[in-house]
Amino acid sequence: MLQLRRLLREIRGGELLLLAVSLVLAVASVAGIAGFAERLKLAMGERSLYFLAADQVLVSPSPLPPEWLEKAENSGISVAKTVSFRTMVYGSAADPADEKMLLVALRAVSDRYPLLGTVQFSDTVYGNAQESAGGPPRGEIWLDSRAFAMLGIAPGAEVEVGEARLLASRVLVDEPDRSSSINVYGPRALMHSGDVASTGVVQPGSVVDYRYLFAGDTAQLDSFAGWLEPKMLPSHRWRTLTDNQPALAQSLDRAESYMLLAACLAVALASAAIALSAHRYGQQNIDRVALMKSLGASRRYILSFYARQGAVLLGLAVLMGGLIAEALQGLLFQSIAQLLNVEVPAGSWRPLLTGAITAGVCLLCFAAPPLWRLSRVSPMRVLRRDQEQDNAGLAMPLLLGGGAMFGLMLWFSNSVALSVAVMLSSVVLLLLAAALVLLCIRGARSLSTRMAGSRQRLAISNIYRRRYGNAFQLGSIALALMSLLSVFLLREMLLKDWQSQLAEGTPNYFLINIAESELAELDGFFSENGVAHAGIFPMVRGRLSHIDGVPMADTDIDANTAGLNREVNLSWSAELPSDNRLLAGKWWSNTAHTSTDSDRLPVSVESEVAERMGAELGTRLQFNIGGQTLDAEVTSIRGLDWQSMRPNFYFLFPANSLGRYASSYITSFYLPAEQRPLLVEVMSAHPTITLIEVDAILAQMKEVVSQLSAAISLIVLLLLVCALLVCVSNVQLSLDTRRQEYALLRTLGAGNRFLRATLFLEFAFLGGLAGLVAAVGANLCLVALQIWALDMAPRVHLWSFLFTPLASAVLVTVLAAGYGRRLLRTPAVALLRGR
Amino acid sequence: MIRVDNVSKTVRSGSEELTILKGISMEIKAGQSVAIVGASGSGKSTLLGLLAGLDSPSSGYIHLQGEDVTAMTEDERAALRARAVGFVFQSFQLLPTLTALENVMLPLELSSAKGARERALELLEQVGLSARAGHYPRQLSGGEQQRVALARAFVVEPDILFADEPTGNLDAVNGGHIEELLFAMNQQRGTTLVLVTHEPHLAELCERRFEMRDGQLAEQH
Ligand SMILES: Nc1ncnc2c1ncn2[C@@H]1O[C@H](COP(=O)(O)OP(=O)(O)OP(=O)(O)O)[C@@H](O)[C@H]1O
Ligand SMILES: [Mg+2]
């Protein structure tokens, strides 16, 4: 009871306040960020399920064995099936001469389709969309507006598909799982899967894509997937969000990396604050422990007293931190739920547990060493103040804590690279700061003895005398500022990056399947209507068949996950596309290449796909293009930006080198909504060209990005508080050490103005130096992260080299002025007596 | 009660060895009051610390209530202090985050005695501070703080009370008040009193007087 009261008083009185706040912050930032990341993932997962129209989707080139589906249904999972193929649709007209035919991408869907989300349809061509819980009933077919237009019929007409006559009852606007990839060609249509047999279109050997949709609770699905796993053929594969939305996946990936980095930094900063404030608390308690011992307290009593103190403090911190984390998440998810139009799943206890464990470990590692030393204080101190001044440094907690911090980062970032990067740069920074400080101080001192006034000389000699303590303090302030600066700069970069990709004018339509003969006309159309396009690229479709002479089937590369199981788009270009980055190898010189059977063509491969298929510079690849083989050798590796919404290619060949294969062209362009009618014009003039809309994806990405921006801004704020805390603890600790000295100076006749000036000069110097180190560190750290972790182009922020030292000097001086006020006001006697 | 046999204390400061106490022997009987005087730096506080078991001597033996303190561990000595020893210090040494009452209760809580509150209030009453029980040390004057410290020292009914310059930080009036209280409470309870002081008249009040000089102790008669 007395203990709790004492604890609360110490928090209120300020002695434990910083430690308490540091702990709360450690819990809040870790639990908040981890919780946010977790729930965002859940929410986005949920959202992506709408894009799958199910919880899980299995893709297969042939029907699945019925036992599999029975097994699924028996275990309580809902199952739906879609069968996609391309076929001709014949419109019926009064005059058979007017009858038109059209190649459509047809999907036949079973009764339960879609398991999640709705099908959007309209009653009129290009009309307003309505929602339907299911697809067309038997005997009906829903065609999209373009199909109606191109067949020259209206809803209500009959069409023929193979041998079946179906009623074209409605206009298909959108299916939830409509693929956004470039694999879907031509106008689309939706019918019932029960009618497939009667059309007679699907024959053995037809190219058909079977999708099986499953929905159920996670446990059921997991056990079903586990049951299925050993039975699955190489041609079966699970669809994921990444499959059809590489751009969104990349945004989320970056945001996640960012958050984990921020969480790591927050832990590092909170740890530093905990270490500093625990150290200070230990110092303040030396006399009290001596007194308690003289009154008969045993060492065990002291240890358990402070251990209980720590436990209660931790408990309070977990409670407070948990509440703050919850509030932060509530704030963020309130709007995210509206934007994403999903129920944000409730968070689990895990993030709070993570936060609690983090804070606990930090407290243990950073507070245990001072506590241990505290328990060894000699009770003789009650008689002789000067007894064994406890000046054991922060080395022990630093080592212990550094190890613990690394473990924690590893634990919840699950990324060795990130943890090592943060840890290593912190250590390097600390050492750098220490070295720099010692050097600067030495230099300044020799300078000051010659020229500066007595005030400056005193300030500098003060800094010099405490140089080791100062080096550490400066290092930790620099670390705090560096973390803050990095996170801030990274935020700016991410935002800019996202925004530039989602800026007005980001291509929202793709045209593919453009024939060479149509190029001129299309170009004319673009320039006539002032439509900006991303360039028209040639492309040849081919399948990767061999890697280094080994057939794909015999390699241990999972072609499904590598995205190489189907035909890929090959293109050629003389120049490196402007938004591509050369990561390895050389781009070809401008000499034209022509393919002969004897030599190998150079090929430039996208970095991720290269990694997935284990290709390096010099790897030999063989492609099968419409039955012909093409030999190539990897001569360069490129980085791509999937968010640019421009045509991108996994494989690029030198200009004109694929001339002998049948090729088509692809482009993407931006068309504002009001210019949409132009599309009908182009599309009816060129019915074989395929149009793909990515408006929906863009809109979704915009939502997500604005949400993520809010989230990372909040995180920057959190780090700001952490960094401030480190600075405050630091300043307080160093003011403590000045007590005696100031008292002495005061008794020797130093006036208040003199002391204040000394204090300010000292802290301004330290602050400025810390800022400089921080700017160097942050820029180094950023460049490293941009290159290795975030996959962005590196950039140095020059302004930070001027701004940070200034801001830091001001901040530290202001803090010192604030906290030093009391010190400057206290009379000398009281200072000397230590009260 | 207290027996000191040939006790020496040597400390290292830097590379030098400094012998503070050189073969001190003395015996104090139960209920006696003893003053130790001597020049500053002569080793009075060091000796007091050894007597109270706050520190252990480099050589020699100290017996407190028949028990060999020098053979005890630090924790055993702490237990002995909790049981039988009270302290008054020059610089009061109250815990700033506890009220006057809680400061007085502290030693009782350390030995988990029952009725701590009532006992503490009683003692505060005796030193005339029951009205200030809820005040924090910083709200009390130096003299009042030392009275709280006295109450704290006597609250465990110690067999021996050690005082290191109890009036050293106080003016004459307050110092006199503390002296009176100290001796009154001491006599009331028959406590053995060991007192280090610079003030001759305080030393005069004690039954026996020792003088510390160059680390050696001589009784004055
Ligand atoms: N642990 C120690 N390390 C170094 N020197 C010590 C230590 N303990 C005591 N001394 C020295 O021993 C001498 C005696 O110290 P002590 O505090 O006992 O003197 P004192 O008689 O109480 O003096 P005062 O009247 O000023 O309080 C002093 O010179 C002191 O500096
Ligand atoms: Mg002394």
Side-chain angles (χ1 to χ4, degrees):
Chain A
M1 211 36 227
L2 191 58
Q3 174 155 20
L4 186 65
R5 241 182 291 151
R6 199 171 148 184
L7 178 79
L8 290 178
R9 273 181 216 150
E10 284 180 355
I11 293 178
R12 214 170 338 122
E15 289 158 68
L16 269 180
L17 187 66
L18 273 184
L19 187 55
V21 174
S22 312
L23 280 172
V24 168
L25 219 62
V27 175
S29 46
V30 171
I33 296 175
F36 181 74
E38 181 197 83
R39 287 171 72 186
L40 185 71
K41 235 182 178 162
L42 285 175
M44 295 314 295
E46 198 116 302
R47 169 101 171 134
S48 72
L49 297 183
Y50 290 131
F51 286 85
L52 294 177
D55 289 329
Q56 280 180 343
V57 174
L58 191 67
V59 184
S60 166
S62 55
L64 290 189
E67 312 90 79
W68 293 11
L69 307 178
E70 262 164 46
K71 165 78 183 173
E73 285 185 325
N74 289 343
S75 39
I77 298 172
S78 324
V79 183
K81 181 176 85 168
T82 74
V83 185
S84 310
F85 49 90
R86 294 168 72 188
T87 188
M88 284 298 181
V89 173
Y90 299 86
S92 50
D95 179 356
D98 287 346
E99 200 172 278
K100 290 184 186 158
M101 61 177 194
L102 180 67
L103 185 66
V104 299
L106 183 60
R107 286 181 88 191
V109 300
S110 65
D111 278 331
R112 295 232 189 107
Y113 173 88
L115 297 177
L116 283 177
T118 55
V119 178
Q120 296 193 11
F121 69 94
S122 155
D123 289 326
T124 56
V125 175
Y126 291 113
N128 287 335
Q130 290 168 265
E131 295 196 343
S132 157
R138 290 192 65 156
E140 292 183 15
I141 187 169
W142 296 353
L143 302 168
D144 68 4
S145 297
R146 277 173 56 216
F148 273 111
M150 289 160 83
L151 285 169
I153 57 172
E158 284 201 330
V159 295
E160 278 173 32
V161 179
E163 293 168 7
R165 278 186 89 77
L166 300 168
L167 177 68
S169 54
R170 285 170 167 175
V171 180
L172 174 65
V173 176
D174 203 4
E175 312 122 88
D177 54 342
R178 172 181 150 197
S179 177
S180 64
S181 75
I182 324 181
N183 291 315
V184 182
Y185 296 114
R188 291 165 307 124
L190 204 63
M191 62 184 270
H192 194 276
S193 59
D195 292 331
V196 174
S198 64
T199 64
V201 173
V202 176
Q203 302 289 342
S206 321
V207 183
V208 179
D209 177 57
Y210 291 86
R211 295 187 178 204
Y212 293 86
L213 285 60
F214 303 97
D217 65 45
T218 317
Q220 290 168 342
L221 289 170
D222 283 352
S223 90
F224 176 63
W227 177 84
L228 210 57
E229 192 63 48
K231 300 184 176 55
M232 278 168 64
L233 299 175
S235 58
H236 295 146
R237 73 190 182 101
W238 294 105
R239 265 176 75 82
T240 61
L241 172 64
T242 340
D243 269 1
N244 60 348
Q245 296 191 295
L248 185 60
Q250 197 180 22
S251 299
L252 284 180
D253 254 16
R254 278 185 185 171
E256 202 184 334
S257 305
Y258 180 86
M259 279 184 211
L260 288 177
L261 170 75
C264 282
L265 290 176
V267 170
L269 291 190
S271 300
I274 289 172
L276 288 166
S277 46
H279 179 79
R280 179 163 187 253
Y281 185 66
Q283 296 278 348
Q284 286 173 331
N285 273 264
I286 290 174
D287 288 338
R288 299 181 197 176
V289 168
L291 177 70
M292 295 218 288
K293 278 191 167 183
S294 79
L295 294 179
S298 64
R299 231 186 124 184
R300 253 192 49 204
Y301 178 91
I302 302 288
L303 280 174
S304 79
F305 176 86
Y306 285 100
R308 278 199 306 266
Q309 198 99 322
V312 175
L313 201 60
L314 185 64
L316 287 177
V318 169
L319 200 74
M320 286 279 297
L323 286 177
I324 293 177
E326 198 54 38
L328 285 182
Q329 288 183 41
L331 215 72
L332 283 174
F333 280 115
Q334 196 183 17
S335 43
I336 227 176
Q338 287 169 4
L339 274 176
L340 296 188
N341 206 2
V342 289
E343 195 95 1
V344 174
S348 66
W349 282 100
R350 265 189 52 118
L352 184 58
L353 196 69
T354 313
I357 290 177
T358 305
V361 169
C362 285
L363 187 63
L364 203 69
C365 292
F366 290 112
L371 170 57
W372 188 252
R373 260 182 282 125
L374 206 51
S375 79
R376 301 181 67 105
V377 164
S378 160
M380 265 310 272
R381 272 188 70 91
V382 292
L383 297 174
R384 293 181 37 83
R385 285 307 292 275
D386 54 335
Q387 187 89 19
E388 50 177 290
Q389 267 300 336
D390 194 284
N391 48 14
L394 291 148
M396 183 64 187
L398 267 184
L399 274 182
L400 209 76
M405 235 158 70
F406 183 69
L408 286 172
M409 285 181 199
L410 209 59
W411 178 45
F412 68 73
S413 74
N414 224 342
S415 153
V416 181
L418 199 67
S419 313
V420 171
V422 172
M423 203 63 208
L424 218 69
S425 59
S426 308
V427 170
V428 168
L429 185 88
L430 271 172
L431 291 180
L432 199 89
L436 189 68
V437 169
L438 294 185
L439 226 107
C440 271
I441 289 175
R442 203 152 288 176
R445 188 174 178 239
S446 67
L447 209 74
S448 76
T449 43
R450 262 177 281 139
M451 45 185 287
S454 66
R455 201 163 290 163
Q456 287 90 324
R457 214 173 314 147
L458 181 64
I460 287 172
S461 82
N462 275 344
I463 295 176
Y464 183 76
R465 224 166 20 77
R466 281 188 292 266
R467 56 195 180 279
Y468 296 109
N470 276 332
F472 173 76
Q473 281 177 358
L474 184 131
S476 61
I477 292 183
L479 192 66
L481 293 175
M482 177 192 90
S483 307
L484 185 62
L485 191 63
S486 324
V487 169
F488 177 74
L489 290 179
L490 260 178
R491 169 184 172 272
E492 296 295 293
M493 264 183 326
L494 278 183
L495 292 192
K496 216 182 254 169
D497 202 40
W498 285 337
Q499 274 153 10
S500 71
Q501 278 147 12
L502 296 174
E504 278 298 298
T506 302
N508 56 353
Y509 290 95
F510 279 84
L511 285 183
I512 55 179
N513 247 2
I514 306 167
E516 188 140 19
S517 58
E518 293 169 313
L519 283 182
E521 210 175 315
L522 208 59
D523 222 19
F525 162 76
F526 281 141
S527 51
E528 209 171 284
N529 294 295
V531 177
H533 63 84
I536 300 180
F537 298 85
M539 106 189 182
V540 164
R541 289 179 65 76
R543 192 181 287 268
L544 180 66
S545 59
H546 293 72
I547 296 180
D548 273 336
V550 183
M552 276 300 278
D554 297 346
T555 61
D556 46 8
I557 299 159
D558 186 353
N560 295 325
T561 51
L564 297 169
N565 57 331
R566 48 179 185 238
E567 291 200 317
V568 289
N569 301 328
L570 315 176
S571 185
W572 58 89
S573 170
E575 311 289 332
L576 182 68
S578 62
D579 58 340
N580 285 200
R581 274 176 296 131
L582 200 61
L583 299 179
K586 272 212 295 269
W587 191 251
W588 33 78
S589 54
N590 250 343
T591 52
H593 287 257
T594 41
S595 166
T596 65
D597 280 333
S598 59
D599 66 351
R600 283 193 292 270
L601 278 178
V603 61
S604 174
V605 186
E606 190 268 338
S607 63
E608 260 170 56
V609 103
E611 195 175 309
R612 276 182 278 172
M613 61 190 216
E616 296 162 0
L617 294 180
T619 300
R620 283 172 291 127
L621 304 177
Q622 192 180 84
F623 293 89
N624 183 325
I625 304 172
Q628 293 172 278
T629 58
L630 166 72
D631 285 295
E633 182 177 319
V634 179
T635 56
S636 69
I637 309 245
R638 283 168 303 130
L640 287 191
D641 194 351
W642 289 110
Q643 299 181 334
S644 66
M645 293 291 168
R646 294 155 57 101
N648 273 320
F649 299 93
Y650 283 154
F651 301 98
L652 271 186
F653 291 86
N656 300 324
S657 57
L658 302 185
R660 66 179 173 134
Y661 304 100
S663 62
S664 64
Y665 290 82
I666 175 173
T667 187
S668 68
F669 59 93
Y670 172 72
L671 199 67
E674 62 274 13
Q675 277 186 289
R676 264 187 79 142
L678 286 177
L679 285 178
V680 185
E681 188 185 309
V682 188
M683 294 319 293
S684 38
H686 305 277
T688 52
I689 295 182
T690 305
L691 175 83
I692 295 171
E693 295 174 36
V694 286
D695 258 341
I697 300 172
L698 282 175
Q700 183 198 11
M701 274 189 57
K702 267 185 191 153
E703 294 167 6
V704 171
V705 162
S706 76
Q707 216 37 60
L708 293 178
S709 314
I712 63 177
S713 303
L714 215 68
I715 287 170
V716 171
L717 206 70
L718 211 62
L719 255 118
L720 175 73
V721 180
C722 287
L724 267 180
L725 208 62
V726 172
C727 293
V728 169
S729 327
N730 233 313
V731 166
Q732 284 202 343
L733 194 62
S734 60
L735 282 174
D736 282 352
T737 62
R738 282 164 177 75
R739 270 181 170 282
Q740 291 284 322
E741 179 185 312
Y742 277 39
L744 203 67
L745 287 172
R746 185 81 59 76
T747 43
L748 292 180
N752 243 340
R753 276 186 44 194
F754 177 79
L755 287 181
R756 194 174 309 128
T758 312
L759 185 81
F760 286 7
L761 267 171
E762 207 177 327
F763 279 94
F765 182 64
L766 280 181
L769 217 52
L772 189 67
V773 174
V776 174
N779 278 289
L780 275 178
C781 184
L782 272 193
V783 168
L785 281 172
Q786 283 169 333
I787 294 175
W788 288 303
L790 292 167
D791 208 14
M792 296 165 110
R795 221 189 114 210
V796 170
H797 299 261
L798 284 175
W799 59 266
S800 64
F801 289 97
L802 188 68
F803 172 77
T804 324
L806 273 176
S808 158
V810 170
L811 171 75
V812 173
T813 313
V814 165
L815 283 178
Y819 285 99
R821 232 183 19 226
R822 190 141 30 112
L823 187 67
L824 289 173
R825 255 201 253 117
T826 319
V829 211
L831 280 176
L832 281 178
R833 249 204 265 125
R835 274 287 139 83
Chain B
M1 173 97 291
I2 304 176
R3 216 180 76 217
V4 183
D5 290 319
N6 201 22
V7 160
S8 303
K9 178 71 181 174
T10 311
V11 294
R12 292 196 84 82
S13 60
S15 54
E16 285 169 53
E17 290 221 327
L18 178 68
T19 303
I20 308 170
L21 302 179
K22 301 166 186 159
I24 287 179
S25 299
M26 71 190 291
E27 196 164 349
I28 301 170
K29 297 226 162 48
Q32 283 185 337
S33 55
V34 174
I36 299 173
V37 295
S40 189
S42 56
K44 306 180 294 290
S45 296
T46 308
L47 177 63
L48 197 72
L50 289 176
L51 294 181
L54 296 179
D55 203 358
S56 44
S58 309
S59 67
Y61 300 95
I62 297 172
H63 292 261
L64 227 61
Q65 294 188 305
E67 290 178 72
D68 183 1
V69 182
T70 37
M72 291 183 181
T73 64
E74 203 196 309
D75 279 357
E76 285 167 342
R77 281 183 268 138
L80 176 65
R81 280 199 298 277
R83 207 164 57 234
V85 175
F87 272 109
V88 180
F89 311 102
Q90 176 178 8
S91 54
F92 322 142
Q93 302 271 22
L94 300 178
L95 289 187
T97 49
L98 298 186
T99 61
L101 178 65
E102 289 161 352
N103 262 295
V104 179
M105 284 162 65
L106 187 63
L108 292 174
E109 297 227 343
L110 286 177
S111 55
S112 31
K114 284 200 194 70
R117 203 183 170 76
E118 290 69 34
R119 285 284 299 137
L121 274 172
E122 210 174 289
L123 263 294
L124 275 182
E125 174 84 56
Q126 279 187 36
V127 297
L129 284 176
S130 47
R132 317 288 305 265
H135 287 196
Y136 289 94
R138 70 185 126 78
Q139 298 167 305
L140 301 173
S141 75
E144 286 163 342
Q145 287 187 41
Q146 193 62 311
R147 272 144 71 192
V148 174
L150 267 183
R152 181 181 64 192
F154 280 106
V155 78
V156 285
E157 312 258 306
D159 297 317
I160 314 162
L161 183 79
F162 292 102
D164 194 358
E165 300 181 34
T167 57
N169 279 351
L170 299 173
D171 59 29
V173 177
N174 275 302
H177 194 77
I178 290 295
E179 277 162 28
E180 270 167 43
L181 267 173
L182 184 61
F183 280 95
M185 292 169 90
N186 190 45
Q187 255 144 33
Q188 219 174 48
R189 291 171 172 75
T191 314
T192 310
L193 177 69
V194 181
L195 185 76
V196 168
T197 184
H198 280 298
E199 318 218 6
H201 77 274
L202 188 53
E204 290 297 322
L205 291 173
C206 295
E207 293 166 1
R208 299 171 69 190
R209 278 169 302 283
F210 290 88
E211 191 183 353
M212 232 10 221
R213 187 174 291 164
D214 292 336
Q216 280 170 328
L217 196 68
E219 183 157 10
Q220 298 176 328
H221 294 283

